[in-house]
Amino acid sequence: MTVKVIKIGEDILGANEEKARANRKRLDTHGVLTVNIMSSPGAGKTSLILSTINQMKEKVKIAVIEGDVASSVDAEKVSEMGIPVVQINTEGGCHLDANMVESALNSLPLEDTELLLIENVGNLICPNEFALGEHRRVMISSLPEGDDKPLKYPAMFADSDAVLLNKIDLQPYLDYDVNAFKKVVTGLNPDVIILPVSCKTGEGMEAWFSWLESGVKNKKER
Amino acid sequence: MTVKVIKIGEDILGANEEKARANRKRLDTHGVLTVNIMSSPGAGKTSLILSTINQMKEKVKIAVIEGDVASSVDAEKVSEMGIPVVQINTEGGCHLDANMVESALNSLPLEDTELLLIENVGNLICPNEFALGEHRRVMISSLPEGDDKPLKYPAMFADSDAVLLNKIDLQPYLDYDVNAFKKVVTGLNPDVIILPVSCKTGEGMEAWFSWLESGVKNKKER
């Protein structure tokens, strides 16, 4: 039986770009390395942020913006660690945008921040289309989601500087082909760094911390 | 430290509703029970559809609409099983809508179909806002996503007739509180049916097949 394919075009908003450039300039002025963290729901964005704070907070001044459709459970966890945090509730919006981030920046101590981690809304479809003013884009893909995700959501993988392959501790219990995943991601994005990690067990996390730390260092030296 | 919360409103399109009603009327005329299957990426929509076809295709005439941002890998798997299928590529769109489904219905043998399974785009944010003409809404949530998903994406859970809690075979390897999950979901949606299943091992799937079969039977008797 043949498969019929219907393609539906959709316009993408562009006015966001200008605001994102203004945010980035502001962040540059304060020397704040800003990382936009994207993934599907439950891939481990909050766990990654909490592990990163735990590991790096003595060395690096961190602030966080939490994006969610509803609730402030993630921001509360960050706040309990003594880190400045703003929760953005998009009330149905699928992604953060530069205007939302501008509002959040007004509530953060930028003069006393070296690293800003932004947790985007859990979504593999459109967050990559909306620049926030970030310097780095990080995508988390987790093993239980399946190794076909780069085929189905290619734009998110193509637009990232680093891809964290999370929950590798579950590999013995899943049918997941890490090499197949890496091959498709590298095909979409030859310059991407792929880091297999487990936020739960800590496996592979050193490479992530080093990558972040060298980014913070480079930002300060400029 | 206190958490600052910024709320951003967003208008929701309403013109979709009329088209959805027309689709439903058309499906009613042909006696086709139509099920809209929603979840985050990788929760198991395609696995559920393939298992359902495998189990029920001798008894029930099934057709499928596959929604994806890109690719037709899922539709090809369905087609290999000899089932009529249409792939909709939304090209960046976050959800299916009633217009897309109308186009797909034009390519399916409705007069020879009893059960239409629609796989929505993998997304926990907006698919519930867009009626397609379906009779039942089914949400899949998988254990590796975490038990906090109903708190963070409440609308999707509140709008579903059934919630399948998939990948229960991974429970021994995860920190997941099934009762906490059920409590929040039931709070959002007291009438919902929650079915713990594993598409991989088959555990709990009988309850899902029975639920579908009684829906098909009721539809025919009307």
Side-chain angles (χ1 to χ4, degrees):
Chain A
M1 217 165 278
T2 57
V3 174
K4 187 172 160 57
V5 177
I6 300 171
K7 290 186 189 286
I8 288 136
E10 218 189 37
D11 290 333
I12 290 150
L13 305 169
N16 182 68
E17 287 293 327
E18 200 174 333
K19 179 67 75 181
R21 274 194 295 274
N23 287 345
R24 190 157 45 238
K25 205 170 165 185
R26 187 172 170 189
L27 291 159
D28 284 340
T29 304
H30 292 285
V32 182
L33 181 79
T34 302
V35 181
N36 178 3
I37 303 173
M38 301 177 287
S39 81
S40 62
K45 293 183 295 306
T46 310
S47 299
L48 183 77
I49 288 172
L50 296 176
S51 299
T52 304
I53 291 169
N54 208 35
Q55 174 70 20
M56 293 176 64
K57 71 175 178 177
E58 304 302 329
K59 290 181 275 186
V60 176
K61 292 174 195 162
I62 304 175
V64 173
I65 297 173
E66 284 289 341
D68 273 302
V69 174
S71 93
S72 57
V73 289
D74 292 345
E76 283 155 20
K77 289 178 200 161
V78 171
S79 184
E80 282 166 17
M81 299 179 85
I83 296 295
V85 57
V86 176
Q87 175 78 51
I88 298 174
N89 277 343
T90 64
E91 306 277 329
C94 301
H95 54 81
L96 296 181
D97 67 27
N99 274 316
M100 301 177 195
V101 169
E102 184 194 30
S103 306
L105 294 182
N106 294 338
S107 303
L108 288 172
L110 297 183
E111 63 293 343
D112 203 33
T113 300
E114 295 166 309
L115 173 63
L116 174 61
L117 301 173
I118 304 179
E119 178 172 339
N120 217 313
V121 177
N123 179 0
L124 287 194
I125 301 158
C126 48
N128 65 300
E129 292 169 15
F130 293 83
L132 308 179
E134 72 273 29
H135 304 101
R136 301 274 190 285
R137 289 184 171 198
V138 173
M139 164 90 197
I140 308 178
S141 195
S142 67
L143 264 67
E145 295 170 66
D147 52 31
D148 62 347
K149 290 301 149 296
L151 283 172
K152 301 176 86 176
Y153 304 92
M156 294 285 289
F157 290 88
D159 277 357
S160 293
D161 298 295
V163 171
L164 271 68
L165 186 52
N166 192 21
K167 309 193 189 181
I168 46 166
D169 54 294
L170 293 176
Q171 188 158 21
Y173 318 113
L174 300 168
D175 304 318
Y176 190 99
D177 186 338
V178 172
N179 288 329
F181 173 86
K182 286 183 174 174
K183 199 173 162 186
V184 177
V185 173
T186 311
L188 290 165
N189 186 346
D191 300 324
V192 76
I193 293 163
I194 302 175
L195 302 173
V197 301
S198 167
C199 291
K200 190 175 172 184
T201 67
E203 190 180 345
M205 292 291 283
E206 278 307 321
W208 160 248
F209 299 139
S210 302
W211 186 79
L212 264 189
E213 277 171 29
S214 71
V216 171
K217 193 161 163 266
N218 286 343
K219 193 87 209 143
K220 275 167 134 176
E221 285 168 359
R222 272 188 199 175
Chain B
M1 219 166 276
T2 57
V3 174
K4 187 172 158 58
V5 177
I6 300 171
K7 290 186 190 286
I8 287 135
E10 217 189 39
D11 288 334
I12 291 150
L13 304 169
N16 182 69
E17 287 293 328
E18 200 174 332
K19 178 67 73 179
R21 274 195 295 275
N23 287 346
R24 190 157 45 237
K25 205 169 165 186
R26 187 172 171 191
L27 291 158
D28 284 339
T29 304
H30 292 285
V32 182
L33 180 79
T34 301
V35 181
N36 179 3
I37 303 173
M38 301 176 287
S39 80
S40 61
K45 294 182 295 304
T46 311
S47 300
L48 183 77
I49 288 172
L50 296 176
S51 300
T52 304
I53 291 170
N54 207 35
Q55 173 70 20
M56 293 176 63
K57 71 175 178 177
E58 305 301 329
K59 289 181 275 185
V60 177
K61 293 174 193 162
I62 303 175
V64 173
I65 297 174
E66 284 288 342
D68 273 302
V69 174
S71 93
S72 57
V73 290
D74 291 345
E76 283 155 20
K77 290 178 199 160
V78 171
S79 185
E80 282 166 16
M81 299 179 86
I83 297 295
V85 57
V86 175
Q87 175 78 51
I88 298 175
N89 278 343
T90 63
E91 307 276 329
C94 302
H95 54 81
L96 295 180
D97 66 27
N99 274 315
M100 301 177 195
V101 168
E102 183 193 30
S103 305
L105 294 181
N106 295 338
S107 303
L108 288 172
L110 297 184
E111 63 294 344
D112 203 32
T113 301
E114 295 166 309
L115 173 63
L116 174 61
L117 301 173
I118 304 179
E119 178 174 338
N120 217 313
V121 176
N123 179 0
L124 287 194
I125 302 159
C126 46
N128 65 300
E129 292 169 14
F130 292 82
L132 308 178
E134 73 272 28
H135 303 100
R136 301 276 190 284
R137 290 185 168 195
V138 173
M139 164 90 198
I140 308 178
S141 195
S142 67
L143 264 68
E145 294 171 66
D147 52 32
D148 61 348
K149 289 300 150 296
L151 283 173
K152 300 176 84 174
Y153 305 92
M156 294 283 290
F157 289 88
D159 277 357
S160 292
D161 299 296
V163 171
L164 271 67
L165 186 53
N166 192 22
K167 309 193 189 181
I168 46 166
D169 53 295
L170 293 175
Q171 188 158 21
Y173 318 112
L174 300 168
D175 303 318
Y176 191 99
D177 186 339
V178 172
N179 288 330
F181 173 87
K182 285 183 175 174
K183 198 174 164 187
V184 177
V185 173
T186 311
L188 290 164
N189 185 347
D191 299 325
V192 75
I193 293 163
I194 302 175
L195 302 173
V197 300
S198 168
C199 291
K200 190 173 173 185
T201 66
E203 189 180 345
M205 293 291 282
E206 278 307 321
W208 160 248
F209 299 138
S210 302
W211 186 78
L212 264 189
E213 277 170 30
S214 71
V216 170
K217 192 160 165 266
N218 286 343
K219 193 88 208 142
K220 275 166 134 175
E221 284 168 0
R222 270 186 201 175

